[in-house]
Amino acid sequence: MSVWLCLAAGAVCFYVIVYYGVFRGAGWSSPVKLRGKTAIVTGANTGIGKATALELAKRGARVILACRNKEKAEAAAFDIRRDSGNSQVVFMQLDLASLKSVRSFAETFLKTEPRLDILINNAGVMGSGRTEEGFGVAFGVNHLGHFLLTDLLLERLQQCGPSRVVTVAALLHRFGNIDFPLLTSEKDLVSGQSTWHNFQAYCNSKLCNVLFTRELANRLEGTSVTCYSLHPGVIYTELCRSMNLWQQLLMMPFAKLFFMDPEMGSQTTLYCSLQEGIEHLSGRYFSNCTLQQVGAKGRDDALAKKLWEVSERLTSVSS
C-alpha cells in the first residue's frame, strides 16, 4: 500500500509542478476604468475573447463583439451585459473568412460608432478549409482578415488616440514559416490539408501575427496608436473545434487537467490593452503579462515588411 501511496503522491507533485510551472499563467489587476471608451473584440462569443470582453465591460467600456455566428454572439452579449451590469455591449456581424464581410463590418462600424480606443484581434482557428476568397483558413482568418480589419479602422484609432491594437498570437509562432512562392501558388503557407499541415498552418499564421504587429509599430511610430502581440497561455477553448472527434476526445483529459480557463487566458490580452506605461514597447510580444523575446523569424524586419506588402496586395485584389 505504501508503494501506491508514494506513486500517488509523486503523481500529484508532478502535476502541481507542471501545471503551476509550465501551464498556469500570471494574474493581473489594474484600477483602469474605460467609461467613454469603445473596444472591439473579434471572436468574443466564446473562450478568451468572451472573458476579455466581459472584463472590458466591467470597466465601463462600450464593447463590440465582432463575431461570425449571430446566435452565439447575441447570447454572449446577453451574458456579458448581465454579468457586468453594462448595457453597452453589442454584437456586430464579422466573418474573418470573408474579406467582403470585413469591409462590410468596417463600413458599418465607422458609420455608427464615433470612437475606437482598443482593437483586439483575438479570433483564431485551426483546421482545414478555405476562406471565401480561397485562402487557407488559418492564414485567411488569423492573419489576413485581421490585417484588413486593422487597416480599415486605423484612421479612427488615430483620431481617438491614445489607442491600442492588440493581436493574440501564440508561442507556436516559433515553429512558423513564411513561404511567399507557396503563398502565391497555393494561396496558403502550407501545401496540404492533413492534421500536421493544419498544425503547421496555425503556427505560420501566428508568426504572421507577430510580424504584422512588428511592422505595424514601425509604420505607427510617432503616432498615438501603439500595438502589441501576445501569447495568451495554453487555454482550454474551442480553438480545436474543427479537429476530428477522436482527436478532441484524446486531447480533452489532458486539456482539462493542464490547460488554463478562459478567464486566466485573457490576462495578458488585458495587460496589453490596459497597462499604463508600456507605450514605448509598441510592436513587442508579451506572455504571462511580461515582455518576452520572440523567435528569430519574428524579429526579422525585412520579413515583416514583405509580409505587409504582400498582405496589402492580397487584400486589395479581393476588393
Side-chain angles (χ1 to χ4, degrees):
M1 181 65 72
S2 60
V3 174
W4 289 108
L5 285 174
C6 288
L7 288 173
V12 170
C13 289
F14 176 78
Y15 171 78
V16 170
I17 291 170
V18 172
Y19 179 71
Y20 285 94
V22 178
F23 289 96
R24 184 173 175 83
W28 176 79
S29 61
S30 168
V32 171
K33 298 298 181 184
L34 298 173
R35 196 165 304 280
K37 307 287 188 180
T38 298
I40 293 174
V41 184
T42 67
N45 63 292
T46 188
I48 61 176
K50 184 177 179 182
T52 300
L54 173 60
E55 183 60 29
L56 296 175
K58 285 180 177 179
R59 293 170 183 269
R62 178 172 174 80
V63 185
I64 310 299
L65 310 187
C67 307
R68 177 180 58 86
N69 188 300
K70 183 176 187 290
E71 182 178 351
K72 290 182 178 180
E74 288 184 337
F78 175 84
D79 291 343
I80 294 170
R81 287 193 295 266
R82 179 196 62 208
D83 296 342
S84 67
N86 182 348
S87 62
Q88 296 296 304
V89 180
V90 298
F91 157 67
M92 287 182 62
Q93 184 84 40
L94 172 64
D95 183 358
L96 289 161
S98 165
L99 298 181
K100 179 180 178 181
S101 174
V102 174
R103 289 190 175 86
S104 177
F105 171 90
E107 182 179 0
T108 300
F109 177 86
L110 293 172
K111 285 181 178 178
T112 59
E113 299 288 338
R115 294 195 62 86
L116 179 57
D117 303 275
I118 305 170
L119 170 60
I120 301 179
N121 294 321
N122 164 81
V125 297
M126 179 191 294
S128 59
R130 295 277 173 173
T131 68
E132 185 176 286
E133 290 79 18
F135 298 103
V137 68
F139 175 75
V141 170
N142 299 352
H143 168 64
L144 210 56
H146 281 130
F147 172 87
L148 179 60
L149 178 67
T150 304
D151 182 67
L152 294 173
L153 298 178
L154 203 51
E155 184 176 348
R156 181 60 51 84
L157 283 161
Q158 291 173 322
Q159 291 169 354
C160 300
S163 54
R164 297 187 182 185
V165 179
V166 178
T167 300
V168 178
L171 182 64
L172 291 173
H173 78 271
R174 292 178 176 272
F175 302 103
N177 292 289
I178 310 291
D179 186 336
F180 291 110
L182 183 63
L183 180 59
T184 300
S185 62
E186 298 287 337
K187 300 187 80 171
D188 202 353
L189 295 173
V190 295
S191 58
Q193 295 288 317
S194 68
T195 299
W196 168 251
H197 284 112
N198 294 339
F199 173 75
Q200 186 61 54
Y202 180 79
C203 296
N204 296 344
S205 71
K206 296 293 105 177
L207 175 58
C208 289
N209 291 157
V210 170
L211 291 169
F212 159 70
T213 300
R214 190 174 184 90
E215 178 63 15
L216 179 62
N218 290 336
R219 291 170 181 260
L220 290 174
E221 187 174 2
T223 74
S224 59
V225 184
T226 54
C227 55
Y228 314 90
S229 65
L230 65 103
H231 171 56
V234 186
I235 319 297
Y236 186 60
T237 70
E238 295 183 10
L239 173 65
C240 299
R241 59 188 176 271
S242 56
M243 286 184 173
N244 294 330
L245 178 60
W246 68 267
Q247 292 172 328
Q248 294 186 43
L249 290 174
L250 285 173
M251 179 176 285
M252 190 176 296
F254 185 81
K256 287 286 190 181
L257 281 171
F258 290 104
F259 291 6
M260 291 189 287
D261 61 29
E263 181 180 358
M264 184 59 70
S266 68
Q267 296 302 295
T268 305
T269 301
L270 292 165
Y271 177 90
C272 291
S273 301
L274 305 175
Q275 178 65 35
E276 298 174 328
I278 64 170
E279 290 79 8
H280 66 290
L281 298 174
S282 183
R284 305 292 291 278
Y285 169 82
F286 292 77
S287 179
N288 281 331
C289 300
T290 57
L291 180 67
Q292 300 289 335
Q293 182 72 284
V294 297
K297 292 176 184 174
R299 301 192 299 272
D300 188 331
D301 284 327
L303 185 62
K305 183 178 181 181
K306 184 172 182 181
L307 176 64
W308 185 285
E309 292 169 349
V310 169
S311 300
E312 279 187 325
R313 189 160 63 249
L314 293 175
T315 52
S316 63
V317 163
S318 302
S319 63

